[in-house]
Amino acid sequence: MQNATDTTPPSGVVELREDIPLKAGVSSGGSCGTPRLIAGCFAALSAAVTIALLTQIYYGDYQLVPHGSVSSAAEACSSAGTGALKAGGRAMDAAAAAALCLALLAPHRTSIDASGSLLYWEYRNRTARDEGPTLMEWGGPNHGGVPRLLVALAQLHARYGALPWSQVLQPAIDLARGGYSVSRGLAMAASGAGRAGWLVNGVRADPAYADYLETLQRNTSAELTAMWSKDANAVRFSSALANPAGGWRFFVGGVGAASAARAIVAAIETPFDVDEAERRVVAALVNEAYEEKSPAGGVATGLAVVDPVDTYIALVTGLSVPFGSLPPWSVNGTGGEGSAANARDSPAAPIDLTPAILLNENVCGTRYVLGAESTSALVQAAASLATSGGDELGPAIERARVGVLPGGVLALESAAPPSLQPLVGATVNASLPYAAVNVVQQRGDALASHADSRSGGLSSRF
């Protein structure tokens, strides 16, 4: 299968995956911010500036190698996103390409009618950096109209995208026609929903989805937004609130934002080791569950994007039930036997959609962009990242987590660690598949990324 977006890295650009440092010689060590290091960095910076100026005088302007990353629950979708970036696209182009791909490869968690919560931050823009990210949300009961994820992506692409809309749609079209491999999580969800023919590693095509997306290539995203103006009003814009804690500043969106903020503050407001942070964050989640402050359920998938100009997107989309609660749209939008990616959904209660961005306020400027499949998974991963120093993303994200159910019941992925023993009351085994967290880290100009193995995904960087 071949994506329309060229996946061959241009000259001078190396495509990487997961935790391989973007630039050779860049260290992620934990000595960040010491006086000796700052003085050394200042001297090195002065020398580098002098050399750069001399080089420019003699050889003309120099160019920085572009960089970017997409982390999602499917390798093909992460690659669709970085393909958009390599083609000259911006973060919104990458997020839209990856989200439309996930509707195909993870239809048990999202669809073109999925509800969504998105944090958007042009971090390099000083004004935008001071103001913080913009939160964009959509969803709720479906009263007909147009698939809501498509409405949102078209509107946001018209505002923030750089590539032609038809080019953003093409990777999902190619995968739908050429076929894709069924993941373990998708096969399990299909079996649980009584859907036959979804075998692990089996190859499925979805020509109905390709047909539908091809009808949308006839117009630009701006034209579609104008045509869908009534539905486009359903996208809600607001400023994400900053939450300071323990030298960190973090922004959280979605219905679980307040619960997530309280739990993260409890874990990292006073620096602790990873085990103590885990105990504190789970205790906060248990308290939320007892007080019935926990967000609603549903299923979701999250992705994280950083583009070459340091624009950050954390996007979580989801459904009230796996594969949606209503029959799918057909190509002409009248319903009927469509594809799973075209599934409609009309949630009666809010869905747990909680994207996040975390910043370390010290001189090293470590930032994390996170797309998580649940608030519980998000806050535990955030606490682990904040207290582990972020030197290795993999161990921080792959660390065993617990789900917190109504009444404070703990759903364990594995045996409860010693740090959680004081909290253990009623427990159950967590149900597969476990909620995943996908992350991109930026520290200075160096990028690292990791897609949680719980979802079987793989991040992509260049």
Side-chain angles (χ1 to χ4, degrees):
M1 74 202 137
Q2 188 78 23
N3 284 354
T5 303
D6 183 13
T7 59
T8 302
S11 178
V13 177
V14 179
E15 184 168 5
L16 304 168
R17 297 187 301 190
E18 296 298 327
D19 295 329
I20 304 171
L22 181 67
K23 294 183 179 180
V26 175
S27 173
S28 319
S31 60
C32 177
T34 64
R36 181 177 296 178
L37 178 61
I38 294 172
C41 289
F42 182 78
L45 176 62
S46 299
V49 170
T50 301
I51 294 171
L53 289 173
L54 291 173
T55 302
Q56 187 176 22
I57 290 171
Y58 284 97
Y59 298 104
D61 291 338
Y62 61 90
Q63 292 184 340
L64 294 174
V65 175
H67 63 280
S69 180
V70 180
S71 182
S72 79
E75 178 184 358
C77 302
S78 299
S79 295
T82 52
L85 296 179
K86 287 188 289 183
R90 295 290 305 276
M92 193 59 72
D93 299 298
L100 292 169
C101 173
L102 286 168
L104 175 69
L105 271 63
H108 57 307
R109 291 191 169 273
T110 186
S111 79
I112 58 173
D113 193 38
S115 300
S117 182
L118 183 151
L119 288 171
Y120 178 88
W121 201 1
E122 295 180 359
Y123 188 80
R124 194 178 292 183
N125 181 308
R126 182 168 294 276
T127 300
R129 186 191 312 172
D130 292 340
E131 292 176 349
T134 300
L135 175 62
M136 308 159 193
E137 299 175 289
W138 59 93
N142 188 321
H143 300 295
V146 183
R148 288 164 300 177
L149 177 61
L150 273 179
V151 171
L153 293 179
Q155 180 180 356
L156 299 179
H157 177 269
R159 181 177 297 200
Y160 301 113
L163 296 180
W165 174 244
S166 59
Q167 188 172 345
V168 172
L169 297 174
Q170 195 63 47
I173 293 172
D174 290 341
L175 280 168
R177 290 216 183 280
Y180 63 92
S181 179
V182 175
S183 69
R184 182 171 67 109
L186 175 54
M188 291 177 61
S191 176
R195 294 176 173 243
W198 302 75
L199 303 178
V200 178
N201 298 325
V203 177
R204 290 183 63 91
D206 194 338
Y209 187 49
D211 290 342
Y212 186 81
L213 293 184
E214 283 179 344
T215 67
L216 303 179
Q217 290 184 305
R218 301 167 189 167
N219 299 95
T220 66
S221 57
E223 290 169 342
L224 290 173
T225 299
M227 292 166 53
W228 298 337
S229 58
K230 180 179 178 182
D231 298 278
N233 291 332
V235 180
R236 305 176 294 278
F237 292 77
S238 62
S239 296
L241 297 178
N243 299 276
W248 291 80
R249 196 160 48 107
F250 60 94
F251 303 87
V252 188
V255 67
S259 294
R262 287 188 289 267
I264 294 174
V265 168
I268 67 176
E269 188 167 23
T270 303
F272 293 101
D273 61 22
V274 175
D275 290 337
E276 176 61 16
E278 178 181 51
R279 189 196 68 78
R280 286 174 173 262
V281 79
V282 172
L285 290 171
V286 169
N287 182 62
E288 298 280 327
Y290 276 128
E291 297 183 10
E292 298 184 351
K293 295 178 181 176
S294 301
V299 291
T301 188
L303 62 91
V305 180
V306 175
D307 75 7
V309 294
D310 296 346
T311 297
Y312 305 151
I313 288 181
L315 170 61
V316 181
T317 62
L319 305 168
S320 59
V321 295
F323 300 101
S325 60
L326 297 171
W329 269 279
S330 64
V331 173
N332 61 13
T334 59
E337 296 296 328
S339 73
N342 288 359
R344 291 184 292 167
D345 192 50
S346 186
I351 301 173
D352 186 4
L353 308 172
T354 315
I357 300 175
L358 285 76
L359 297 88
N360 191 312
E361 300 286 13
N362 70 20
V363 69
C364 291
T366 300
R367 285 92 73 189
Y368 296 106
V369 184
L370 299 106
E373 294 179 352
S374 75
T375 297
S376 178
L378 168 71
V379 298
Q380 291 175 73
S384 182
L385 290 168
T387 53
S388 67
D391 296 333
E392 296 184 29
L393 290 183
I397 295 298
E398 299 296 338
R399 183 181 175 92
R401 298 192 286 263
V402 302
V404 181
L405 307 179
V409 176
L410 299 184
L412 305 178
E413 292 183 357
S414 60
S419 61
L420 296 185
Q421 288 299 331
L423 302 175
V424 172
T427 63
V428 296
N429 292 327
S431 300
L432 291 170
Y434 304 141
V437 179
N438 302 309
V439 61
V440 178
Q441 177 203 59
Q442 185 167 27
R443 177 175 287 179
D445 288 330
L447 286 180
S449 53
H450 187 79
D452 200 327
S453 66
R454 293 168 176 83
S455 65
L458 200 66
S459 66
S460 175
R461 297 189 294 116
F462 73 97

